[in-house]
Structures are given as C-alpha cells and as structure tokens.
C-alpha cells in the first residue's frame, strides 16, 4: 500500500472537494478511486470500509477515515494548518463553519430542478454577500494581515478561497463590494501549492454537470427529488 | 462578568443541547440567556454578538463563539475530552460526526409537516438501528473497554449517550438489539457529572414541544 492518502468518491466535487483542496494546499500528493458503478459501492460496503456506509472515505496513515469534517480536521492538524493553540483553532473552526454553511447551499445545487436552481442561485448570492463575505472582509480589514488567523496560512484561508471561487462561478462579479477579499483571493491563489492546484491537469474537479448528478444518483440509488433550502 | 460560560439560545434543546451536555459532563457550570422575542434576537445581531447572525452563541474565555462544532471542539479540547493525540482525536471526530448526522434528524423532526412525521420517525428508527448504533455496539464489543476511544472518557461518549436517550424518547425499545450499548448507557448514567445532569432541576432541557416550535418560528421567521 502506498503511503499517499487515497480518496474514495465520485469523479466530481461534492463533499470531497474541500479535502482535495486542503491536501493540495498542504503540498500532499494523493491518489483517487472514483465510484462509477453501484457494484463498486456495494463492494466497499461489504468490505467494511465505510464506517457509516457513506463516502467520502480517505485511507490515510493506516486509517479508513470517513466524515468530511473529521478528515479535514485531521489533515489540518497533521500539516500545521490548524493554528498554534486552542484559541486560534477556535477561530479557524468558526470561520470554516461559516464557509462550510455557505458551500452547503452550493453542494445541493446540481441536484435541484431548473426552477429551484434559479431560486437557489439567488439565495447563494444573497447569503454570500450579506452574511458570509462581510465577516471575512471585516476580519481582514481589522487586523490588516495576509491571512485570516494568527498571521499564518491556515485551513481557514484555503476554505475561504474555495468558497469564493465557487460563488464566483455563480456570479462572476460577486466580489465587487469586497476589496479585502479581492486582494485575499489574489494573494492566496499565488501561493505555489494553490497556484498548482488551480492549473489545468490538477486534481481539482470541474463544476458538477448532469453526468455527475446521474452518477451519484445511480451509485447511491438516490432518486428522490432534492428540495432547495 | 462571571467566569462561567454564558449560553444564548432558546429555552429548549435545538443545537445548544449537545453543548449543555458537554459542559455538564466536563463538570463546568454555565449561565443561560433565553431568546424569547424577535426583538431580543435582532438586538444581539445589531450589537455584533452573532458572527453569522445565528445562535448558538457561547461566551467563553473572552470569545463570542458561534458555530456548534467550533464551540464543542473548543470545550472538548479545553477540558481534555478530545483524546490524547491526533489519531484518537480522529476517531472521536468520526464518531461525533456520525452521531451528529443522526441527531440532525431528531433536531429537524418537530418541524416536519404533520403528514411527514410518521415517515421521519421511521427514518430515525431505521438509521439508528441499521447505520449508527451497530457501529458503536461493535466498537465497544471489540475492545471491551468502558469508553469508545482510548480507554478514557471523551466527547464521543457524551455525544453517544445524548443520542441514545434522544432516540429512546422516540423509540423506547431501540436498544433491545444492542447489549453493549445498554451497558454503556448504564455506565454513563452513573458517572457523577452525567448523573447530576440527568436529575430534575439540571440545565438539561425537555423534548421540544409545540410551544418550543412556535417560539423558534416567532424569533427567527423573517
């Protein structure tokens, strides 16, 4: 077994994308196994690899980790992206909690009906510009530092950049009222590990399309309608 | 201002209940402020207390903490309920996150439309008995220890105990196929801080009723 972490998920963003971002930001190479058929999924289930019968699953350091947040916490701590003490960690957790809630509105987006998609797009923009982005704009303005927490690159910065780019995919000028975030975006994007991840050919996944939705539905037998928030 | 943590939420379980459990299990006394009106909530926002305009809010160690998970991670870390190293923490996080998915179903239940309640109750029972409880039954059986992780009381044990009691309120015989969990429940109930929390007069909140649902809608509805 190689020592690289191995990610088990669909060939698409979903809940695994934040994990790909964090590993990439930490400069950690990883392998991926993509779920394409129901059989593959059932094999994983029968083999006992999925603690709660769900993916994401990441094989790392001899563990078969599940639960996105648990995996992210582990990677952040292992690669020193989780602050220097309990209080910095608390700030990072609060900030990541916010960007996670924001990205939660986007993750269900591809599964919505065309009509619900329009409403959801508006909701995403509204939440981003009135609830979430103002918080990070203020944090950066107040301390004037390059990074969100403790004057040091952390998981919170990676997660915020990921969220910004995802919202921009829905409205390209969404940062127009947020000068600090514009500068932040440029700064973090130019960090070598992140720059590399943003280039074509990296393991970053594209915006989910119908094929992705079809694959998820097929593998998980998730044929019910997903309702918007 | 006292040195005690101060919790701001509705006078009911919701997302704050797991925090109450954890503080109580850690033997930490706390104060509570109850949101009863929309005006109170809007004032909190206006005064800059709520980072994302949401509760739970816990004022602790000079911080105005929001985001349930962030708050619980901080408490667990501070009071040594988070394992002894990264790997134990990873296990605790996995267990807590899994249980949290089950608790989410229970949290949403009072707000389901009347015609969906029976189906949702069935889902809770199905998930508890087929997805979540078997995992912890197996963990306890395999290592034979009293606690889920590292032979030591942790956040994971508190969260599992809370979940067991919450599901039992809906499905009284839910532990009938889980002998390890029955023993676990008894052991946890006898731990002094938890025993105290389970007694009448503690900060533990009762199951959500119609009045609670009404208050939530009143305070938060636009």
């Amino acid at each position: 077994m190689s020592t690289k972490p191995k990610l088990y998920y669909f060939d698409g963003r979903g809940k695994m994308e934040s994990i790909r971002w964090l590993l990439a930001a930490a400069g950690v190479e990883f392998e991926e196994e993509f779920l394409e058929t129901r059989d593959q999924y059932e094999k994983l289930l029968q083999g006992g690899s999925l603690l709660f019968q769900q993916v994401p699953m990441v094989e790392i350091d001899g563990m078969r980790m599940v639960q996105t947040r648990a995996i992210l916490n582990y990677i952040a701590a292992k690669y020193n992206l989780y602050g220097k003490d309990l209080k910095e960690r608390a700030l990072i957790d609060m900030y990541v909690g916010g960007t996670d809630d924001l990205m939660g509105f986007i993750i269900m987006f591809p599964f919505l009906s065309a009509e619900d998609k329009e409403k959801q797009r508006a909701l995403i923009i509204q939440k981003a510009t009135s609830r979430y982005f103002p918080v990070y704009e203020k944090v950066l303005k107040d301390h004037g530092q390059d990074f969100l927490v403790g004057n040091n690159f952390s998981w919170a910065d990676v997660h915020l950049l990921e969220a910004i780019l995802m919202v921009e995919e829905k409205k390209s000028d969404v940062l127009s009222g947020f000068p600090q975030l514009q500068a932040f975006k440029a700064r973090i994007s130019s960090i070598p590990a992140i720059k590399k991840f943003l280039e074509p050919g990296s393991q970053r996944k594209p915006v989910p399309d119908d094929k992705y939705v079809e694959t998820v539905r097929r593998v998980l037998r998730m044929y019910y309608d997903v309702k918007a928030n | 201002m006292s040195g005690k943590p101060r919790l701001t939420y509705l006078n009911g379980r919701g997302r704050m209940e797991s925090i109450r459990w954890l503080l109580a299990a850690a033997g930490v006394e706390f104060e509570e402020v109850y949101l009863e009106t929309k005006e109170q909530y809007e004032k909190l926002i206006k005064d800059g207390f709520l980072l994302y305009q949401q509760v739970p809010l816990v004022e602790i160690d000079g911080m105005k903490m929001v985001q349930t998970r962030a708050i619980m991670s901080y408490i667990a870390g501070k009071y040594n309920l988070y394992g002894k190293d990264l790997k134990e923490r990873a296990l605790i996080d996995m267990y807590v996150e899994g249980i949290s998915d089950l608790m989410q179903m229970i949290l949403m239940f009072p707000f389901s439309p009347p015609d969906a309640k029976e189906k949702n109750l069935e889902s809770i029972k199905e998930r508890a008995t087929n997805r979540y409880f078997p995992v912890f039954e197996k963990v306890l059986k395999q290592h034979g220890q009293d606690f889920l992780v590292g032979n030591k009381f942790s956040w994971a044990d508190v969260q599992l105990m809370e979940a067991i009691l919450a599901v039992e309120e809906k499905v009284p015989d839910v532990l009938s196929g889980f002998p390890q969990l029955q023993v676990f429940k008894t052991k946890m109930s006898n731990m002094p801080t938890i025993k105290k929390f389970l007694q009448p007069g503690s900060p533990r909140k009762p199951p959500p009723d119609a009045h609670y649902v009404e208050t939530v809608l009143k305070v938060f509805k636009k």
Side-chain angles (χ1 to χ4, degrees), chain A residues 190-201:
Chain A
S190 62
I191 292 173
I194 301 219
K195 186 166 189 204
K196 191 169 166 204
F197 189 63
L198 291 174
E199 275 158 10

Side-chain angles (χ1 to χ4, degrees), chain A residues 111 217 220-227, chain B residues 127:
Chain A
F111 295 87
R217 286 196 186 283
L220 297 184
R221 292 202 179 134
M222 194 181 92
Y223 294 111
Y224 54 82
D225 288 333
V226 175
K227 294 273 181 286
Chain B
R127 286 288 193 228

Side-chain angles (χ1 to χ4, degrees), chain B residues 66-82:
Chain B
V66 297
Q67 290 287 327
T68 311
R69 247 194 220 100
I71 294 164
M72 290 208 281
S73 291
Y74 181 76
I75 295 165
K78 182 176 177 184
Y79 294 101
N80 295 311
L81 294 169
Y82 219 163

Side-chain angles (χ1 to χ4, degrees), chain B residues 8-155:
Chain B
T8 300
Y9 200 69
L10 300 113
N11 186 0
R13 288 184 183 177
R15 292 191 184 285
M16 189 62 98
E17 193 71 353
S18 296
I19 294 169
R20 296 182 184 110
W21 266 91
L22 191 55
L23 284 168
V28 178
E29 278 181 31
F30 53 90
E31 295 173 354
E32 300 200 68
V33 172
Y34 299 125
L35 290 184
E36 257 130 32
T37 68
K38 200 189 188 68
E39 289 70 39
Q40 262 178 294
Y41 170 55
E42 286 174 347
K43 182 166 198 295
L44 272 179
I45 294 174
K46 194 156 139 285
D47 294 345
F49 276 80
L50 306 181
L51 192 64
Y52 305 109
Q53 301 146 28
Q54 297 165 318
V55 285
L57 164 68
V58 174
E59 293 165 75
I60 183 168
D61 297 340
M63 298 181 287
K64 292 182 175 71
M65 286 200 74
V66 297
Q67 290 287 327
T68 311
R69 247 194 220 100
I71 294 164
M72 290 208 281
S73 291
Y74 181 76
I75 295 165
K78 182 176 177 184
Y79 294 101
N80 295 311
L81 294 169
Y82 219 163
K84 71 179 198 298
D85 57 28
L86 267 195
K87 285 206 168 179
E88 285 193 354
R89 171 176 239 137
L91 278 175
I92 291 168
D93 278 339
M94 281 195 274
Y95 297 161
V96 160
E97 288 293 306
I99 297 165
S100 163
D101 285 347
L102 175 60
M103 294 297 288
Q104 176 73 8
M105 298 173 79
I106 297 174
L107 182 101
M108 299 307 301
F109 183 79
F111 300 91
S112 14
D115 59 359
K117 277 207 153 71
E118 200 183 318
K119 182 169 75 88
N120 289 344
L121 183 59
E122 203 39 54
S123 293
I124 289 168
K125 182 180 179 181
E126 194 272 330
R127 286 288 193 228
T129 48
N130 294 335
R131 177 170 288 189
Y132 296 106
F133 288 175
V135 169
F136 304 107
E137 179 77 8
K138 185 176 181 209
V139 166
L140 291 167
K141 184 156 199 226
Q142 283 191 334
H143 62 44
Q145 292 162 7
D146 286 355
F147 306 107
L148 286 171
V149 179
N151 209 9
K152 193 164 177 273
F153 183 55
S154 79
W155 175 15

Side-chain angles (χ1 to χ4, degrees), chain A residues 5-9 16 20 23 30-33 57-58:
Chain A
K6 187 167 175 187
L7 280 48
Y8 292 76
Y9 201 67
M16 189 62 97
R20 297 181 183 109
L23 283 168
F30 56 91
E31 294 174 355
E32 300 198 71
E33 184 162 313
M57 191 268 279
V58 174

Side-chain angles (χ1 to χ4, degrees), chain A residues 7-183:
Chain A
L7 280 48
Y8 292 76
Y9 201 67
F10 314 102
D11 186 5
R13 289 186 183 175
K15 287 190 187 289
M16 189 62 97
E17 193 72 350
S18 295
I19 295 169
R20 297 181 183 109
W21 267 92
L22 190 56
L23 283 168
V28 177
E29 281 183 27
F30 56 91
E31 294 174 355
E32 300 198 71
E33 184 162 313
F34 298 125
L35 292 184
E36 256 130 33
T37 68
R38 176 75 189 174
D39 274 353
Q40 264 176 292
Y41 173 59
E42 286 185 352
K43 221 166 160 183
L44 275 179
L45 284 175
Q46 275 145 33
S49 309
L50 306 180
L51 191 65
F52 302 112
Q53 301 148 22
Q54 298 164 315
V55 285
M57 191 268 279
V58 174
E59 285 172 355
I60 182 168
D61 297 339
M63 299 181 286
R64 287 197 175 93
M65 287 199 73
V66 298
Q67 291 292 333
T68 312
R69 205 46 173 274
I71 297 165
L72 289 168
N73 286 356
Y74 182 78
I75 296 166
K78 181 177 176 180
Y79 295 100
N80 294 309
L81 294 169
Y82 218 165
K84 69 177 197 302
D85 57 28
L86 265 195
K87 284 204 169 180
E88 285 195 353
R89 170 176 237 135
L91 277 175
I92 290 168
D93 279 339
M94 281 195 277
Y95 296 158
V96 161
T99 39
D100 199 40
D101 284 347
L102 176 56
M103 289 200 275
F105 292 105
I106 301 175
I107 214 175
M108 61 158 70
F109 188 86
F111 295 87
L112 300 174
S113 67
E115 187 196 325
D116 281 350
K117 270 181 172 134
E118 267 323 294
K119 286 192 225 149
Q120 191 76 350
R121 178 180 273 110
L123 182 70
I124 289 163
I125 307 303
Q126 188 251 325
K127 291 284 192 201
T129 53
S130 63
R131 176 169 288 187
Y132 296 103
F133 288 173
V135 169
Y136 306 105
E137 180 79 6
K138 179 171 197 276
V139 166
L140 291 166
K141 184 158 202 228
D142 283 352
H143 62 42
Q145 293 163 4
D146 285 355
F147 306 109
L148 286 170
V149 179
N151 209 10
N152 232 323
F153 182 53
S154 81
W155 173 21
D157 302 301
V158 182
H159 215 245
L160 176 57
L161 178 62
E162 182 189 359
I164 285 171
L165 295 182
M166 282 179 80
V167 179
E168 278 186 330
E169 280 164 355
K170 301 266 168 283
K171 186 173 196 278
S172 56
D173 64 347
V174 74
L175 284 194
S176 62
F178 302 99
Q180 298 284 336
L181 291 183
Q182 290 173 37

